[in-house]
């Protein structure tokens, strides 16, 4: 019944009409779908509306002459189409992926991953009532900051602490509390943009303060800061240039020197250290990264950092420092708008518990564990993944290649660690095609292409992911090789 040669409008109409008559009834499709156990969880309303949508599309296609085979109108075929659509509609958008990029803190892939204890703690906090703002001791209202304040004080040596939504929020809160209407002195080498529209000069304008820039892009000396101090100076600000590296003829003022200047002039020093490394954990590539403990020791009045970078916890902005400034930040109305939720606090408390002991932190916090693993361990993991994948298909060519591991997330720019990847070459499937197939797998794999080879970097892949990668590889081969 294909409309190969159409001689007159009469023929078309007749064929269209007979096709239209062949469209099954909603109930007929419904009765097929209701027998299918895979769609038990879907309500009758949703089934009916999916069926109607498919039937409407078929009707439109027939009327436009785009459908001319009655085979496409078989009830079983339409039911299968409805089922695929219902499954597609049930898909979630925020789903786990396997990180085969070798970038440990990948901002697009959610930065730090939680320890299992921290993730469980967030789950518990979400599934039950909690002591979020309740004091069990007094039976009265408590503070949401208390859950982590003592831990942060204990670990960093600070007098007080509070937590907000993220570090960008922390910086905003600090500046609008401490330096509104006043001048804040900052080095021209630290006027950074930290992703998106977060630029230090713009934030200062938002907060009603005035930025007093000193020094040059590559060199700023302590005398530049002291010459800029005046009666309207509200603070000295140091921002860690976490996402770029200035090399060559450079000079900057270290935090100890800046704190001495601040103290001598009774001006508070604010330090945005970005990454949230709480103290030196002895990982080689982090040796030049500023840490919170050292900054507090140097005498910094207020330090701010992220929860989901090197701290290895949930997204959060943490502020530690002198009690009078933290108290002022807590009572700023903006604090209410930037406040952190209970799932985050639960995960953060658990992560901070691990940080009380270096060896526990290195073992339990995935970010630190990944960065702490050595080249030999990484090589062995890549060899094990290669072995697991080699069972799948004789035509797949697998190799273990050297492939850098990076910290990422705007931390430690330029530093790479020795890492290893498994390269996967399949005759008849280009690296781009394989990349595409993996990105569309049930648990997507995000690898990368280097020198025309598809690579899965093993520094950021877990043993538990091996079976998933293997099954998704065999699916990709089945679909594309046959
Ligand atoms: C990452 C970073 C920020 C922003 O932190 P978020 O937690 O992403 O809001 C601010 N300052 C510095 C120095 C950073 O490295």
């Amino acid at each position: 019944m294909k409309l190969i040669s159409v001689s007159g409008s009469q023929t078309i109409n007749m064929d269209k009409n007979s096709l239209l008559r062949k469209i099954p009834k909603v109930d007929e499709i419904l009765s097929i779908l209701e027998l299918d156990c895979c769609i038990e969880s879907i309500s009758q309303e949703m089934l009916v509306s999916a069926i109607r949508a498919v039937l409407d599309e078929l009707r439109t296609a027939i009327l436009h002459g785009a459908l001319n085979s009655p085979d496409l109108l078989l009830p079983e075929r339409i039911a299968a189409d409805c089922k695929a659509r219902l499954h597609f509609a049930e898909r979630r958008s925020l789903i786990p992926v396997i990180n085969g990029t070798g970038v440990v803190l990948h901002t697009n892939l959610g930065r730090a991953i939680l320890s299992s204890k921290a993730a469980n703690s967030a789950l518990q906090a979400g599934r039950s009532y909690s002591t979020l703002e309740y004091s069990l001791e007094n039976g009265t209202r408590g503070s949401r900051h208390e859950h982590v304040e003592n831990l942060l004080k204990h670990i960093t040596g600070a007098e007080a602490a509070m937590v907000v939504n993220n570090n960008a929020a922390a910086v905003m809160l600090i500046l609008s509390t401490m330096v509104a209407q006043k001048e804040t002195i900052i080095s021209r080498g630290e006027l950074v943009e930290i992703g998106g529209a977060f630029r230090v000069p713009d934030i200062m304008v938002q907060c009603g303060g005035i930025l007093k820039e000193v020094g040059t892009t590559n060199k700023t000396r302590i005398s530049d800061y002291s010459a800029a101090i005046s009666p309207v100076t509200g603070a000295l600000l140091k921002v860690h240039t976490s996402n770029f590296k200035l090399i060559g003829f450079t000079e900057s003022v270290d935090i100890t020197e800046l704190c001495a200047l601040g103290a001598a002039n009774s001006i508070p020093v604010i330090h945005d250290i970005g990454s949230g490394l709480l103290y030196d954990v002895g990982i080689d590539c982090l040796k030049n990264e500023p840490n919170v403990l050292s900054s507090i020791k140097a005498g910094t009045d207020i330090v701010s950092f992220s929860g989901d970078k090197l701290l290895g916890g949930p997204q959060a902005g943490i502020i530690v420092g002198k009690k009078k400034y933290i108290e002022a930040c807590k009572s700023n109305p903006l604090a209410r708008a930037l406040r952190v939720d209970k799932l985050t606090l639960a995960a953060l408390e658990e992560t901070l518990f691990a940080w009380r002991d270096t060896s526990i932190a290195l073992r339990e916090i995935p970010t630190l564990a990944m960065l702490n693993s050595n080249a030999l361990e990484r090589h062995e993991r890549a060899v094990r993944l290669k072995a697991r994948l080699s069972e799948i298909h004789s035509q797949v060519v697998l190799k273990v290649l050297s492939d850098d591991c990076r910290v990422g997330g705007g931390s430690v720019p330029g530093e790479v660690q020795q890492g290893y990847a498994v390269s996967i070459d399949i005759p008849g499937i280009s690296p781009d095609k394989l990349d595409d197939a993996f990105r569309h797998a049930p648990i997507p794999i995000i690898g990368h292409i280097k020198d025309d080879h598809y690579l899965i970097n093993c520094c950021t892949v877990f043993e538990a992911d091996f079976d998933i990668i293997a099954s998704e590889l065999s699916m990709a081969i089945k679909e594309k090789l046959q």
Side-chain angles (χ1 to χ4, degrees), residues 107 111 165-171 192 194 198 200 239-243 272-275 289 304-309 315-317 409-411:
T107 297
R111 284 200 189 152
N165 184 53
N166 59 12
N167 191 25
V171 173
V192 295
I194 302 135
F198 192 82
V200 173
V239 177
H240 179 47
T241 54
S242 48
N243 53 8
D272 171 10
I273 69 164
S275 79
E289 190 65 15
S304 84
F305 48 95
S306 298
D308 57 353
K309 292 183 181 171
Q315 179 192 303
S411 302

Side-chain angles (χ1 to χ4, degrees), residues 110-132:
R111 284 200 189 152
I113 54 174
L114 298 176
S115 69
S116 26
K117 281 186 186 169
N120 278 332
S121 190
L123 183 71
Q124 292 296 330
R127 297 191 61 173
S128 56
Y129 293 107
S130 65
T131 53
L132 180 64

Side-chain angles (χ1 to χ4, degrees), residues 238-369:
K238 188 166 178 65
V239 177
H240 179 47
T241 54
S242 48
N243 53 8
F244 75 98
K245 194 173 185 168
L246 205 60
I247 50 172
F249 191 57
T250 64
E251 189 174 336
S252 64
V253 174
D254 81 29
I255 191 70
T256 311
E257 232 182 326
L258 202 60
C259 287
L261 180 67
N265 291 275
S266 306
I267 297 168
V269 174
I270 301 166
H271 194 188
D272 171 10
I273 69 164
S275 79
L277 184 65
L278 294 182
Y279 53 82
D280 182 3
V281 289
I283 294 175
D284 224 31
C285 73
L286 305 181
K287 62 181 183 297
N288 295 320
E289 190 65 15
N291 67 67
V292 186
L293 182 72
S294 309
S295 185
I296 290 293
K297 256 197 194 142
T300 310
D301 297 273
I302 284 282
V303 184
S304 84
F305 48 95
S306 298
D308 57 353
K309 292 183 181 171
L310 290 171
L311 193 144
Q315 179 192 303
I318 302 168
I319 308 173
V320 301
K322 302 261 163 75
K323 197 173 169 101
K324 66 171 175 177
Y325 299 117
I326 301 278
E327 291 306 321
C329 286
K330 281 181 185 168
S331 45
N332 184 331
L334 199 53
R336 175 64 178 76
L338 305 176
R339 84 175 182 189
V340 67
D341 82 310
K342 60 186 175 183
L343 306 186
T344 301
L345 278 171
L348 184 60
E349 183 179 15
E350 201 57 50
T351 308
L352 291 172
F353 258 92
W355 270 99
R356 290 182 309 168
D357 181 294
T358 315
S359 61
I360 296 176
L362 289 171
R363 191 175 63 237
E364 286 186 2
I365 298 173
T367 300
L368 297 181

